[in-house]
Amino acid sequence: MADNGVRGDGAAEREKDPEYLLTLERGLTVLRSFNQQRPEMQLSEVAAATGLSPAVARRCLNTLVALGYVGRHGRRFLLRPEVLVFGSAYLASMNLEQVVTPHLQSLRDETGDSASMATLSGPDILYLVHVSTNRHIRLGASVGTRYPAHATSLGKVLLAFEPEKLLEDYLVTATLNRFTERTLTNREELTARLLRVRELGYDSALDELDYGIVSVAVPVRDKDGNVCASINCSTSTTRISQDELVRTRLPLLRRAARDIELSLQQWPFLMHSLARG
């Protein structure tokens, strides 16, 4: 089964729309199929990863090669640096550096923790801003990094405030991989956790994505009160206990979230971009 995150339950409905370009979807699906585990692929591997037929995958790859977004090395295909124009265009046009980064830098400077902002992208979280600390943390993160939502504090905050139908779809279709013995892979337990997150307004994760990492996250809301992103603090378990992290960082995170919300109101196009749906 394809794991590119593009197609879903609404695929058939989208394809009936005369304004919908199926060929564009297929090309983007091919681009998204390359990742850290699959930096280079043969045609058959691209077809398997995307769920496209080999003939369709070949036409998409040949087009992307001609446009300079995909390169060819023997029988294997790989992304070329030109694809970075998509991400850099978003960052430049949305002014994330000016609007969000200063608040997370202040949070980092005050706590010594890494601070991040993320949104949902399919079953994953997508890092939009990341301010790192000089301390070594096993899991690296940067703008564009993706991690499974169910294994992160950022992700569980975002999932907890999803509209009911979208959350139901996620709980039915998402693959809940286990990364440590503390990763939540039982759907009933995850549902109960998300209800608790909605009640408390935050989530804290300990050793769920990797051992030795503790984090706490809160939602960021748009002007209508809808959750459009989440921010967190994360650090090593050798520095602080989970209880102490929640006690000391939660007030600071909530203050930073309010400051970011006020900043977003001054940049409505960025808020519109972050809006779900």
Side-chain angles (χ1 to χ4, degrees):
M1 180 180 294
D3 59 357
N4 50 76
V6 175
R7 301 182 65 79
D9 293 339
E13 288 73 16
R14 292 196 301 268
E15 292 169 12
K16 294 176 183 177
D17 183 351
E19 299 296 315
Y20 188 81
L21 285 176
L22 184 59
T23 52
L24 177 58
E25 179 199 289
R26 289 169 173 169
L28 293 173
T29 299
V30 169
L31 282 178
R32 289 168 60 106
S33 67
F34 293 89
N35 57 31
Q36 188 173 13
Q37 289 72 43
R38 298 188 299 254
E40 290 187 332
M41 289 186 283
Q42 294 186 19
L43 171 60
S44 60
E45 294 172 307
V46 173
T50 59
L52 300 173
S53 70
V56 171
R58 184 183 65 253
R59 290 197 295 271
C60 289
L61 286 166
N62 287 338
T63 301
L64 292 167
V65 167
L67 293 174
Y69 298 118
V70 169
R72 194 195 312 261
H73 182 69
R75 298 179 61 191
R76 306 188 73 80
F77 296 89
L78 67 163
L79 296 181
R80 296 196 66 199
E82 191 67 19
V83 298
L84 291 173
V85 301
F86 299 117
S88 60
Y90 178 79
L91 295 174
S93 64
M94 291 298 127
N95 293 313
L96 275 167
E97 281 288 322
Q98 297 91 328
V99 179
V100 176
T101 301
H103 301 297
L104 295 186
Q105 285 176 333
S106 296
L107 192 60
R108 186 272 314 275
D109 294 344
E110 192 167 359
T111 63
D113 307 332
S114 295
S116 306
M117 178 177 178
T119 188
L120 280 177
S121 177
D124 302 329
I125 59 167
L126 178 67
Y127 279 74
L128 301 176
V129 182
H130 178 71
V131 179
S132 63
T133 177
N134 291 329
R135 296 182 175 87
H136 176 68
I137 295 181
R138 289 181 61 184
L139 279 174
S142 59
V143 175
T145 295
R146 305 171 70 95
Y147 288 125
H150 73 283
T152 66
S153 60
L154 288 164
K156 284 192 281 293
V157 164
L158 292 166
L159 290 171
F161 292 95
E162 278 283 82
E164 185 175 346
K165 179 61 169 63
L166 293 179
L167 180 56
E168 288 177 356
D169 290 345
Y170 169 85
L171 290 170
V172 169
T173 62
T175 301
L176 304 181
N177 290 322
R178 182 178 298 280
F179 300 96
T180 74
E181 63 183 11
R182 297 182 64 94
T183 307
L184 281 178
T185 58
N186 179 282
R187 297 182 194 279
E188 291 183 359
E189 292 178 0
L190 178 58
T191 300
R193 173 80 165 266
L194 296 179
L195 290 174
R196 184 67 170 163
V197 172
R198 181 182 282 266
E199 176 185 346
L200 296 176
Y202 75 90
D203 183 69
S204 178
L206 173 65
D207 295 339
E208 294 187 38
L209 186 59
D210 198 1
Y211 293 106
I213 299 174
V214 60
S215 64
V216 57
V218 300
V220 174
R221 300 177 183 272
D222 63 21
K223 62 181 179 61
D224 298 318
N226 301 312
V227 173
C228 59
S230 59
I231 60 173
N232 82 342
C233 285
S234 62
T235 190
S236 168
T237 54
T238 60
R239 289 186 64 222
I240 194 170
S241 69
Q242 185 177 27
D243 289 343
E244 183 70 4
L245 183 80
V246 171
R247 186 185 69 80
T248 58
R249 275 44 167 187
L250 191 55
L252 302 178
L253 274 167
R254 285 175 168 159
R255 184 187 68 193
R258 288 194 297 270
D259 291 341
I260 291 171
E261 290 164 358
L262 290 173
S263 294
L264 287 175
Q265 292 179 23
Q266 307 304 313
W267 300 85
F269 58 85
L270 176 53
M271 186 177 291
H272 297 158
S273 172
L274 293 174
R276 297 286 293 158

